[in-house]
Amino acid sequence: LALAKKHHITTLIATPKKAFVVGKKGKVYNEYITHYREEDVPCKKYEGEDVVGIVFFMRSYRDHIFNNLEFTHLRYSNLAIECIPDHYQKGTGIKAILKYYGIAKENAMCFGDDIIDISMFKEVKYSVALGNAKPELKKIAYHVTDDISKDGIEKALKYFEII
């Protein structure tokens, strides 16, 4: 938050129970909300809750801002950068679920469409990128299916003879 304040970056803080915005909601924030059809999030003061994610609303990527953060940071649009603590990565969750249920990585499948899904793809054998996925994700996917809006998940499940 000190970095965001210093560089005048509007920031969304996500905690396990709520999300709120710190800083002035400007043009980039409003474009993001409109583009992703997200709900407008109230402005509040951060009060020390556990953080599961931070979104910095900024067009230009400035590496030096993020070099010392203990978060993985990913630019997933030209409007924002998402920062997630390593223990809240999708891959960490998949790994924990597989361990809990005793499922081997070789018997697991996941679906994704964005950069944030890379960690998840690394934890299963059958990573499926949807047709609308980012090129970086398609490049590492085991299989690429159709767009989500064109029944991509169903088509992949049929391809793998699961349904």
Side-chain angles (χ1 to χ4, degrees):
L1 286 174
L3 287 171
K5 186 175 181 179
K6 177 181 175 183
H7 295 282
H8 308 287
I9 303 167
T10 304
T11 308
L12 180 138
I13 304 290
T15 68
K17 295 185 179 181
K18 62 184 173 182
F20 51 92
V21 172
V22 177
K24 182 181 175 191
K25 294 179 182 177
K27 185 177 180 180
V28 176
Y29 171 83
N30 291 327
E31 283 182 48
Y32 176 90
I33 295 298
T34 301
H35 179 76
Y36 289 101
R37 296 185 186 107
E38 297 281 344
E39 287 186 35
D40 190 13
V41 178
C43 287
K44 291 184 182 176
K45 183 180 177 189
Y46 175 65
E47 297 178 359
E49 300 95 335
D50 285 341
V51 174
V52 297
I54 300 172
V55 177
F56 293 95
F57 298 100
M58 55 193 293
R59 287 192 193 283
S60 61
Y61 188 76
R62 296 172 274 180
D63 276 332
H64 67 280
I65 294 175
F66 303 101
N67 285 343
N68 297 318
L69 289 180
E70 295 178 19
F71 291 78
T72 298
H73 56 280
L74 305 162
R75 175 169 281 289
Y76 61 92
S77 84
N78 66 340
L79 300 170
I81 295 168
E82 185 165 3
C83 297
I84 303 168
D86 288 338
H87 59 282
Y88 282 110
Q89 292 287 328
K90 288 183 176 186
T92 307
I94 292 289
K95 193 174 187 176
I97 289 168
L98 295 178
K99 182 179 178 183
Y100 181 83
Y101 287 104
I103 300 170
K105 180 178 184 172
E106 293 75 27
N107 296 324
M109 178 182 288
C110 71
F111 297 85
D113 64 359
D114 213 332
I115 302 300
I116 196 145
D117 298 321
I118 289 174
S119 68
M120 185 172 62
F121 274 32
K122 292 178 179 178
E123 296 301 328
V124 302
K125 178 177 180 179
Y126 301 102
S127 55
V128 180
L130 296 161
N132 54 292
K134 298 280 170 88
E136 300 93 328
L137 197 65
K138 288 180 178 180
K139 190 192 277 188
I140 65 166
Y142 183 89
H143 178 72
V144 177
T145 187
D146 212 340
D147 288 12
I148 188 72
S149 62
K150 296 178 182 173
D151 302 319
I153 292 175
E154 179 182 0
K155 289 175 181 175
L157 293 174
K158 287 179 178 177
Y159 173 84
F160 286 105
E161 298 179 349
I162 294 171
I163 58 171

